[in-house]
Amino acid sequence: MKKALITGVTGQDGSYLAELLLKKGYKVFALRRRTSTPNYENVEHIKEKLEWIDGDLTDLASLISAVKISNPDEVYNLAAQSFVATSWPQPIATGQITAMGVTNMLEAVRLSKPDARFYQASSSEMFGKVVETPQKETTPFYPRSPYGVAKVYGHWITVNYRESFNMFACSGILFNHESPRRGLEFVTRKVTDAAARIKLGLQNELRLGNLDARRDWGFAGDYVKAMWLMLQQDTPDDYVISTGETHTVQELVEIAFERVGLDWKDYVVIDEKFVRPAEVDLLLGDCTKAKKQLGWDLEVSFRDLVHMMVDEDLKKYEKFNIQKSFQ
Ligand code: NAP
Ligand code: GDD
């Protein structure tokens, strides 16, 4: 039985990856940090199947201990302060977790299980103010946020440990990927949640920032398969994972409101509070390498993804309303 250690299991990607690895027969160790209230919403259904280890990406001792306890064949480093907007008011915490946390995790592996295969969750946010379109593995980085800068560090330290210590370390440069488990602050989920709430009379308006930004949005369930595939290759490498389509935030809004039979223009209000100090205007990935070398492909289209998210949010609130009416 193969053993995997995942950081960030309570987040969106960690929950899908844990499901995938359990299905493949892995023993899955899950690093969790201390929180004041339990935070298992995304993994409630598999919580008892996971081997939980307490630790924090900023605490090297806890990571060394986690690697020793789990003795993993594969390590997936998904934990991060992952919300771009928060990285301006909290640049230092973002750097400590999202940048230096990667070195901590790599050191823990190097010191305790150097032959473990390592996956780093790199990001299309590193391309920032893009210097070429579409973006691929060789496109130079130009990060536009403290989060993007931190991810560039995490990316290069992963490459460096591969080249310096001959570690099997891979970096997946993943473009935006979403799901019904996405945090409510990210624009896709904020929009689908609001469309559902407005439809059910629970909310009157939706306040958004820049509607012109373009993203290459895919489904998280498809993307975690690519993470696993990267660690099954003969040699470690870096791969772009994307859909090869780009859509504006406005298109996202249009599809979500159309799904609930409403005109978005009646509800969306532009609020400067959600406009960023520096924006990433356009992301569009070229994942030819992943398709050829990993045999990876996606199954869920952008429109189907938005529909899936709206439908799940509707279901959640309809259930909530029924429960409320019995009180
Ligand atoms: P997410 O939902 O925000 O999950 C982040 C996870 O990291 C949570 O489990 C969180 O724990 C954990 N975490 C945060 N700080 C930690 C710390 N100091 N120590 C230990 N754990 C900590 O993020 P996601 O969307 O699943 O993304 C997974 C990874 O992929 C992240 O590294 C993200 O930056 C990267 N990425 C994401 C995308 C995307 O579109 N989703 C694209 C490219 C790259 P709590 O639950 O306790 O907060
Ligand atoms: N969150 C948010 N809220 N974004 C808004 C809003 C709003 O009210 N209005 C407009 N936007 C725009 C943002 O300015 C940005 O251009 C776009 O919507 C997407 O924002 P997010 O959903 O917050 O995602 P992100 O692209 O900044 O970052 C995500 O993708 C990265 C990969 O490119 C995160 O998942 C990162 O962790 C990930 O690395």
Side-chain angles (χ1 to χ4, degrees), residues 3 23 27 49 51 64 116 138 140 153 245 257:
K3 286 178 285 179
K23 261 193 217 135
K27 184 165 188 168
K49 295 183 181 152
E51 308 283 333
I64 291 175
T138 50
Y153 175 90
E245 273 181 36
F257 277 75

Side-chain angles (χ1 to χ4, degrees), residues 12 80-85 121-126 147 151 174-178 182 184-190 206-217 249 252 271 274-276 279-281 283:
Q12 172 188 257
Q81 189 304 92
S82 75
F83 189 43
V84 172
S122 286
S123 164
S124 53
E125 181 73 12
M126 301 189 300
Y147 167 84
K151 280 288 177 188
L174 271 53
F175 281 63
N176 298 48
H177 45 280
E178 318 293 316
R182 187 59 143 154
L184 280 165
E185 69 273 45
F186 297 92
V187 77
T188 49
R189 187 75 198 292
K190 183 173 172 181
L206 167 59
R207 304 186 83 81
L208 291 173
N210 177 14
L211 298 188
D212 298 326
R214 292 184 159 272
R215 288 292 181 276
D216 179 330
W217 277 295
V249 173
L252 157 74
D271 187 334
F274 297 109
V275 175
R276 296 176 178 179
E279 179 62 288
V280 171
D281 295 320
L283 290 176

Side-chain angles (χ1 to χ4, degrees), residues 7-15 31-35 39 42 55-59 63 77-83 96-98 119-125 147 151 172-178 181-183 185-186 217 220 223 227:
T7 72
V9 165
T10 50
Q12 172 188 257
D13 292 7
S15 66
L31 188 88
R32 72 178 158 201
R33 62 172 170 172
R34 194 260 164 187
T35 49
N39 175 25
N42 286 337
D56 192 294
L57 227 59
T58 58
D59 185 318
L63 301 181
N77 185 38
L78 307 186
Q81 189 304 92
S82 75
F83 189 43
Q96 283 165 343
I97 301 167
T98 305
Y119 173 85
Q120 168 57 17
S122 286
S123 164
S124 53
E125 181 73 12
Y147 167 84
K151 280 288 177 188
I173 306 174
L174 271 53
F175 281 63
N176 298 48
H177 45 280
E178 318 293 316
R181 297 183 197 167
R182 187 59 143 154
E185 69 273 45
F186 297 92
W217 277 295
Y223 283 38
M227 299 176 187

